[in-house]
Amino acid sequence: MQHTKIFPLKQLPTKEQRHKLFGSVQPAERTKPVEKSKMADLQNTKKDFLFDLNVVGISNVKYPITIESNMNPGFQTSIGTFKFSSSLANTSKGTNMSRFMEQLNHYHEQGFNLTIANLKLFAKELAERLEQKDATIEVDFPWFYERKGPSSNLAGLNHANASIRVTYKQAKGTSVNVALSALITTLCPCSKEISEYSAHNQRGEVVMDITLSDNFDENKTDWKETLLQAAESNASARIHPVLKRPDEKMVTEQAYENPRFVEDMVRLVAADLYELPFVTKFNVSCRNEESIHLHDAIASITFDKQNAEIE
């Protein structure tokens, strides 16, 4: 019978000794005040600091949120990535960064339901808390929606990246922009035209950024669903999480029947957005990850319905 030889463990220094070994030192004598009222407040220094600032604030803040949708799942939890900002006059040295997080956590404790109405209120209250005339809140988040196979009816979850930007200005009120990035399938019209059989296809990304009208009613319209429909209904085919063989046959044949260049995609999506009464301005871009090239194909269009100009 073989025995394992056991060696005694090395006796380590105490934790305090180990910290000292790796550079920790005793606290120095404290001479500065510990009471907030007696501390220097450099950010609130008032002088001529040369320039006004357009944007000052914090970004890349991740916090739990809840999302409502007309599509299943109708209520879901997600993670929002936030950016908070305001302008700053040249007479102020800095802003109060902690106030951004204080307000976010206040909304979180109440259950932060990510509606446009809540974000409008948030922006106005943030401006007041900062003692500024404006404030902007931006939030990006993944939005999940159910998608069923066209033949099997087997369901799975897809997701799109969504974002909302709300800007409050004391003199002008509130403006709202929303955006959605959706993945679609496109089949190359040129490949279909010149080939004896088959045609190459690729995964495309459609990004839509729209300015909402002042009378937009989120209780009647789910902007996420509307933008997703604008992208997918104009594509060669939709993306599916679950496809059985009968589903795959239907999807590939549909793509073959609806070839699309990136130029086609942005024009067709733009037409849908143009017809929406609650959209005042929009930008549509499409990027195809080409399957037979190393490069991507891109196209975009910006249109302001109020000025009726293509940019």
Short mmCIF file of all heavy atoms in Angstrom, two decimals, residues 140-184:
data_model
loop_
_atom_site.label_atom_id
_atom_site.label_comp_id
_atom_site.label_asym_id
_atom_site.label_seq_id
_atom_site.Cartn_x
_atom_site.Cartn_y
_atom_site.Cartn_z
N ASP A 140 -29.03 52.88 -23.28
CA ASP A 140 -28.99 51.79 -24.26
C ASP A 140 -29.34 50.50 -23.53
O ASP A 140 -28.91 50.28 -22.39
CB ASP A 140 -27.60 51.66 -24.88
CG ASP A 140 -27.16 52.92 -25.59
OD1 ASP A 140 -27.99 53.54 -26.27
OD2 ASP A 140 -25.98 53.29 -25.45
N PHE A 141 -30.08 49.61 -24.22
CA PHE A 141 -30.46 48.37 -23.57
C PHE A 141 -30.81 47.30 -24.61
O PHE A 141 -31.27 47.62 -25.71
CB PHE A 141 -31.68 48.59 -22.64
CG PHE A 141 -32.87 49.19 -23.33
CD1 PHE A 141 -33.89 48.40 -23.85
CD2 PHE A 141 -32.99 50.57 -23.47
CE1 PHE A 141 -34.99 48.95 -24.48
CE2 PHE A 141 -34.08 51.14 -24.10
CZ PHE A 141 -35.09 50.33 -24.61
N PRO A 142 -30.58 46.01 -24.28
CA PRO A 142 -31.04 44.94 -25.16
C PRO A 142 -32.52 44.67 -24.91
O PRO A 142 -32.97 44.59 -23.76
CB PRO A 142 -30.18 43.74 -24.72
CG PRO A 142 -29.85 44.02 -23.30
CD PRO A 142 -29.77 45.51 -23.16
N TRP A 143 -33.27 44.56 -26.00
CA TRP A 143 -34.71 44.29 -25.92
C TRP A 143 -34.97 42.93 -26.57
O TRP A 143 -34.59 42.70 -27.72
CB TRP A 143 -35.50 45.39 -26.62
CG TRP A 143 -36.93 45.03 -26.92
CD1 TRP A 143 -37.88 44.65 -26.02
CD2 TRP A 143 -37.56 45.00 -28.20
NE1 TRP A 143 -39.08 44.39 -26.66
CE2 TRP A 143 -38.91 44.60 -28.00
CE3 TRP A 143 -37.14 45.27 -29.50
CZ2 TRP A 143 -39.81 44.47 -29.04
CZ3 TRP A 143 -38.03 45.14 -30.55
CH2 TRP A 143 -39.36 44.75 -30.31
N PHE A 144 -35.62 42.02 -25.83
CA PHE A 144 -35.88 40.68 -26.32
C PHE A 144 -37.33 40.56 -26.81
O PHE A 144 -38.24 41.15 -26.23
CB PHE A 144 -35.62 39.65 -25.22
CG PHE A 144 -34.16 39.48 -24.90
CD1 PHE A 144 -33.53 40.35 -24.01
CD2 PHE A 144 -33.42 38.48 -25.50
CE1 PHE A 144 -32.18 40.21 -23.72
CE2 PHE A 144 -32.07 38.34 -25.22
CZ PHE A 144 -31.45 39.20 -24.33
N TYR A 145 -37.50 39.79 -27.86
CA TYR A 145 -38.84 39.57 -28.41
C TYR A 145 -38.94 38.15 -28.95
O TYR A 145 -37.97 37.56 -29.41
CB TYR A 145 -39.16 40.59 -29.51
CG TYR A 145 -38.19 40.58 -30.68
CD1 TYR A 145 -38.43 39.80 -31.81
CD2 TYR A 145 -37.02 41.34 -30.64
CE1 TYR A 145 -37.55 39.78 -32.87
CE2 TYR A 145 -36.13 41.33 -31.70
CZ TYR A 145 -36.40 40.55 -32.81
OH TYR A 145 -35.51 40.52 -33.86
N GLU A 146 -40.15 37.60 -28.87
CA GLU A 146 -40.38 36.23 -29.31
C GLU A 146 -40.50 36.16 -30.82
O GLU A 146 -41.12 37.01 -31.45
CB GLU A 146 -41.65 35.69 -28.67
CG GLU A 146 -41.93 34.23 -28.98
CD GLU A 146 -43.24 33.75 -28.36
OE1 GLU A 146 -44.29 33.93 -29.01
OE2 GLU A 146 -43.20 33.24 -27.22
N ARG A 147 -39.91 35.12 -31.41
CA ARG A 147 -40.01 34.88 -32.84
C ARG A 147 -40.29 33.40 -33.07
O ARG A 147 -39.59 32.55 -32.52
CB ARG A 147 -38.72 35.32 -33.53
CG ARG A 147 -38.56 34.97 -35.00
CD ARG A 147 -39.64 35.53 -35.90
NE ARG A 147 -39.96 36.91 -35.64
CZ ARG A 147 -39.22 37.95 -36.01
NH1 ARG A 147 -38.09 37.77 -36.66
NH2 ARG A 147 -39.61 39.18 -35.75
N LYS A 148 -41.31 33.10 -33.87
CA LYS A 148 -41.68 31.72 -34.15
C LYS A 148 -41.28 31.33 -35.57
O LYS A 148 -41.31 32.15 -36.49
CB LYS A 148 -43.19 31.53 -33.97
CG LYS A 148 -43.68 31.74 -32.54
CD LYS A 148 -45.18 31.55 -32.43
CE LYS A 148 -45.64 31.73 -30.99
NZ LYS A 148 -47.11 31.57 -30.85
N GLY A 149 -40.93 30.06 -35.74
CA GLY A 149 -40.64 29.55 -37.06
C GLY A 149 -41.87 29.64 -37.95
O GLY A 149 -42.98 29.34 -37.49
N PRO A 150 -41.73 30.01 -39.23
CA PRO A 150 -42.89 30.25 -40.09
C PRO A 150 -43.71 29.00 -40.38
O PRO A 150 -44.90 29.10 -40.69
CB PRO A 150 -42.27 30.82 -41.37
CG PRO A 150 -40.86 30.33 -41.37
CD PRO A 150 -40.46 30.27 -39.93
N SER A 151 -43.12 27.82 -40.27
CA SER A 151 -43.85 26.58 -40.53
C SER A 151 -44.08 25.78 -39.25
O SER A 151 -45.20 25.38 -38.95
CB SER A 151 -43.08 25.71 -41.54
OG SER A 151 -43.73 24.48 -41.75
N SER A 152 -43.04 25.57 -38.47
CA SER A 152 -43.14 24.76 -37.26
C SER A 152 -43.83 25.48 -36.12
O SER A 152 -44.35 24.86 -35.19
CB SER A 152 -41.74 24.34 -36.79
OG SER A 152 -41.00 25.48 -36.36
N ASN A 153 -43.78 26.81 -36.14
CA ASN A 153 -44.35 27.63 -35.08
C ASN A 153 -43.60 27.46 -33.76
O ASN A 153 -44.10 27.83 -32.69
CB ASN A 153 -45.83 27.33 -34.86
CG ASN A 153 -46.62 28.56 -34.45
OD1 ASN A 153 -46.32 29.67 -34.91
ND2 ASN A 153 -47.62 28.39 -33.61
N LEU A 154 -42.38 26.93 -33.82
CA LEU A 154 -41.55 26.79 -32.62
C LEU A 154 -40.94 28.14 -32.28
O LEU A 154 -40.39 28.82 -33.14
CB LEU A 154 -40.45 25.75 -32.85
CG LEU A 154 -40.94 24.31 -33.01
CD1 LEU A 154 -39.76 23.39 -33.36
CD2 LEU A 154 -41.63 23.82 -31.74
N ALA A 155 -41.02 28.51 -31.00
CA ALA A 155 -40.64 29.86 -30.58
C ALA A 155 -39.26 29.90 -29.95
O ALA A 155 -38.78 28.92 -29.37
CB ALA A 155 -41.67 30.40 -29.60
N GLY A 156 -38.64 31.03 -30.06
CA GLY A 156 -37.40 31.36 -29.37
C GLY A 156 -37.33 32.86 -29.21
O GLY A 156 -38.24 33.58 -29.64
N LEU A 157 -36.27 33.34 -28.59
CA LEU A 157 -36.12 34.77 -28.35
C LEU A 157 -35.01 35.35 -29.21
O LEU A 157 -33.89 34.84 -29.23
CB LEU A 157 -35.82 35.06 -26.87
CG LEU A 157 -36.95 34.83 -25.87
CD1 LEU A 157 -36.48 35.17 -24.46
CD2 LEU A 157 -38.18 35.67 -26.23
N ASN A 158 -35.33 36.40 -29.94
CA ASN A 158 -34.35 37.26 -30.58
C ASN A 158 -34.15 38.50 -29.72
O ASN A 158 -34.93 38.76 -28.79
CB ASN A 158 -34.83 37.70 -31.97
CG ASN A 158 -34.59 36.66 -33.03
OD1 ASN A 158 -33.96 35.63 -32.78
ND2 ASN A 158 -35.09 36.90 -34.24
N HIS A 159 -33.14 39.28 -30.04
CA HIS A 159 -33.00 40.56 -29.34
C HIS A 159 -32.48 41.62 -30.31
O HIS A 159 -31.81 41.31 -31.30
CB HIS A 159 -32.09 40.44 -28.12
CG HIS A 159 -30.62 40.35 -28.45
ND1 HIS A 159 -30.00 39.16 -28.73
CD2 HIS A 159 -29.67 41.31 -28.53
CE1 HIS A 159 -28.72 39.39 -28.98
NE2 HIS A 159 -28.49 40.68 -28.87
N ALA A 160 -32.83 42.85 -29.99
CA ALA A 160 -32.35 44.02 -30.73
C ALA A 160 -31.80 45.01 -29.73
O ALA A 160 -32.22 45.04 -28.56
CB ALA A 160 -33.49 44.66 -31.53
N ASN A 161 -30.84 45.81 -30.15
CA ASN A 161 -30.30 46.85 -29.29
C ASN A 161 -31.12 48.13 -29.48
O ASN A 161 -31.29 48.61 -30.60
CB ASN A 161 -28.83 47.11 -29.62
CG ASN A 161 -27.95 45.92 -29.27
OD1 ASN A 161 -28.15 45.29 -28.24
ND2 ASN A 161 -26.99 45.62 -30.12
N ALA A 162 -31.63 48.64 -28.37
CA ALA A 162 -32.48 49.83 -28.41
C ALA A 162 -31.87 50.94 -27.56
O ALA A 162 -31.05 50.68 -26.67
CB ALA A 162 -33.88 49.49 -27.90
N SER A 163 -32.28 52.16 -27.83
CA SER A 163 -31.80 53.29 -27.03
C SER A 163 -32.82 54.42 -27.05
O SER A 163 -33.61 54.56 -27.99
CB SER A 163 -30.44 53.79 -27.54
OG SER A 163 -30.56 54.35 -28.83
N ILE A 164 -32.79 55.21 -25.99
CA ILE A 164 -33.65 56.39 -25.85
C ILE A 164 -32.78 57.55 -25.39
O ILE A 164 -31.94 57.39 -24.50
CB ILE A 164 -34.78 56.17 -24.83
CG1 ILE A 164 -35.55 54.88 -25.12
CG2 ILE A 164 -35.74 57.35 -24.82
CD1 ILE A 164 -36.57 54.52 -24.06
N ARG A 165 -32.98 58.71 -26.00
CA ARG A 165 -32.29 59.93 -25.56
C ARG A 165 -33.32 61.02 -25.33
O ARG A 165 -34.09 61.37 -26.24
CB ARG A 165 -31.27 60.39 -26.61
CG ARG A 165 -30.49 61.65 -26.19
CD ARG A 165 -29.40 61.99 -27.19
NE ARG A 165 -29.90 62.48 -28.46
CZ ARG A 165 -29.90 61.79 -29.59
NH1 ARG A 165 -29.47 60.54 -29.62
NH2 ARG A 165 -30.36 62.32 -30.71
N VAL A 166 -33.36 61.54 -24.10
CA VAL A 166 -34.32 62.59 -23.73
C VAL A 166 -33.54 63.82 -23.29
O VAL A 166 -32.69 63.73 -22.40
CB VAL A 166 -35.26 62.12 -22.61
CG1 VAL A 166 -36.16 63.26 -22.16
CG2 VAL A 166 -36.09 60.94 -23.07
N THR A 167 -33.85 64.95 -23.90
CA THR A 167 -33.19 66.21 -23.55
C THR A 167 -34.23 67.21 -23.07
O THR A 167 -35.23 67.46 -23.77
CB THR A 167 -32.43 66.80 -24.76
OG1 THR A 167 -31.41 65.88 -25.15
CG2 THR A 167 -31.79 68.13 -24.39
N TYR A 168 -33.99 67.74 -21.89
CA TYR A 168 -34.87 68.78 -21.33
C TYR A 168 -34.15 70.12 -21.37
O TYR A 168 -32.99 70.23 -20.95
CB TYR A 168 -35.24 68.45 -19.89
CG TYR A 168 -35.88 69.62 -19.16
CD1 TYR A 168 -37.20 69.97 -19.38
CD2 TYR A 168 -35.13 70.40 -18.27
CE1 TYR A 168 -37.78 71.05 -18.73
CE2 TYR A 168 -35.69 71.48 -17.61
CZ TYR A 168 -37.01 71.80 -17.84
OH TYR A 168 -37.58 72.88 -17.21
N LYS A 169 -34.82 71.13 -21.92
CA LYS A 169 -34.31 72.50 -21.90
C LYS A 169 -35.39 73.40 -21.33
O LYS A 169 -36.54 73.38 -21.80
CB LYS A 169 -33.91 72.95 -23.31
CG LYS A 169 -32.71 72.19 -23.87
CD LYS A 169 -32.25 72.75 -25.20
CE LYS A 169 -31.02 72.00 -25.70
NZ LYS A 169 -30.52 72.53 -27.00
N GLN A 170 -35.00 74.16 -20.34
CA GLN A 170 -35.97 74.99 -19.62
C GLN A 170 -36.73 75.91 -20.56
O GLN A 170 -37.94 76.13 -20.40
CB GLN A 170 -35.23 75.81 -18.56
CG GLN A 170 -36.12 76.50 -17.55
CD GLN A 170 -35.29 77.24 -16.51
OE1 GLN A 170 -34.70 78.29 -16.78
NE2 GLN A 170 -35.24 76.69 -15.31
N ALA A 171 -36.06 76.43 -21.58
CA ALA A 171 -36.69 77.40 -22.47
C ALA A 171 -37.50 76.74 -23.59
O ALA A 171 -38.43 77.35 -24.13
CB ALA A 171 -35.63 78.32 -23.07
N LYS A 172 -37.18 75.47 -23.93
CA LYS A 172 -37.81 74.85 -25.10
C LYS A 172 -38.63 73.60 -24.78
O LYS A 172 -39.38 73.12 -25.63
CB LYS A 172 -36.73 74.47 -26.12
CG LYS A 172 -35.98 75.66 -26.70
CD LYS A 172 -34.96 75.21 -27.73
CE LYS A 172 -34.21 76.38 -28.33
NZ LYS A 172 -33.21 75.95 -29.34
N GLY A 173 -38.49 73.06 -23.59
CA GLY A 173 -39.22 71.84 -23.26
C GLY A 173 -38.37 70.60 -23.50
O GLY A 173 -37.14 70.65 -23.43
N THR A 174 -39.02 69.49 -23.85
CA THR A 174 -38.34 68.20 -23.93
C THR A 174 -38.39 67.64 -25.35
O THR A 174 -39.41 67.73 -26.03
CB THR A 174 -39.01 67.18 -22.98
OG1 THR A 174 -39.05 67.73 -21.67
CG2 THR A 174 -38.23 65.88 -22.95
N SER A 175 -37.27 67.08 -25.80
CA SER A 175 -37.21 66.39 -27.09
C SER A 175 -36.80 64.94 -26.84
O SER A 175 -36.04 64.64 -25.91
CB SER A 175 -36.22 67.06 -28.04
OG SER A 175 -34.91 67.03 -27.50
N VAL A 176 -37.30 64.04 -27.71
CA VAL A 176 -37.07 62.60 -27.52
C VAL A 176 -36.60 61.97 -28.83
O VAL A 176 -37.23 62.16 -29.87
CB VAL A 176 -38.35 61.88 -27.04
CG1 VAL A 176 -38.05 60.39 -26.82
CG2 VAL A 176 -38.89 62.51 -25.77
N ASN A 177 -35.48 61.24 -28.75
CA ASN A 177 -35.01 60.42 -29.86
C ASN A 177 -34.96 58.97 -29.42
O ASN A 177 -34.56 58.67 -28.29
CB ASN A 177 -33.61 60.84 -30.31
CG ASN A 177 -33.62 62.04 -31.21
OD1 ASN A 177 -33.90 63.15 -30.76
ND2 ASN A 177 -33.31 61.84 -32.47
N VAL A 178 -35.38 58.07 -30.29
CA VAL A 178 -35.27 56.64 -30.01
C VAL A 178 -34.55 55.98 -31.17
O VAL A 178 -34.57 56.48 -32.31
CB VAL A 178 -36.65 55.98 -29.80
CG1 VAL A 178 -37.34 56.57 -28.57
CG2 VAL A 178 -37.54 56.13 -31.03
N ALA A 179 -33.90 54.86 -30.89
CA ALA A 179 -33.15 54.15 -31.93
C ALA A 179 -33.24 52.66 -31.71
O ALA A 179 -33.41 52.19 -30.58
CB ALA A 179 -31.68 54.60 -31.94
N LEU A 180 -33.14 51.93 -32.81
CA LEU A 180 -33.18 50.47 -32.75
C LEU A 180 -32.22 49.91 -33.79
O LEU A 180 -32.19 50.38 -34.93
CB LEU A 180 -34.59 49.94 -33.01
CG LEU A 180 -34.79 48.45 -32.74
CD1 LEU A 180 -34.96 48.22 -31.24
CD2 LEU A 180 -36.00 47.91 -33.49
N SER A 181 -31.45 48.91 -33.38
CA SER A 181 -30.55 48.20 -34.29
C SER A 181 -31.08 46.79 -34.46
O SER A 181 -31.13 46.02 -33.49
CB SER A 181 -29.13 48.17 -33.73
OG SER A 181 -28.29 47.34 -34.51
N ALA A 182 -31.50 46.43 -35.68
CA ALA A 182 -32.13 45.13 -35.94
C ALA A 182 -31.32 44.36 -36.97
O ALA A 182 -30.80 44.93 -37.94
CB ALA A 182 -33.55 45.32 -36.43
N LEU A 183 -31.22 43.05 -36.79
CA LEU A 183 -30.51 42.18 -37.72
C LEU A 183 -31.51 41.54 -38.68
O LEU A 183 -32.59 41.11 -38.28
CB LEU A 183 -29.74 41.10 -36.98
CG LEU A 183 -28.63 41.60 -36.05
CD1 LEU A 183 -27.98 40.44 -35.32
CD2 LEU A 183 -27.58 42.39 -36.83
N ILE A 184 -31.11 41.49 -39.96
CA ILE A 184 -31.98 40.95 -41.00
C ILE A 184 -31.14 40.13 -41.99
O ILE A 184 -29.91 40.12 -41.93
CB ILE A 184 -32.74 42.08 -41.74
CG1 ILE A 184 -31.78 43.22 -42.16
CG2 ILE A 184 -33.83 42.66 -40.87
CD1 ILE A 184 -31.24 43.13 -43.53
#
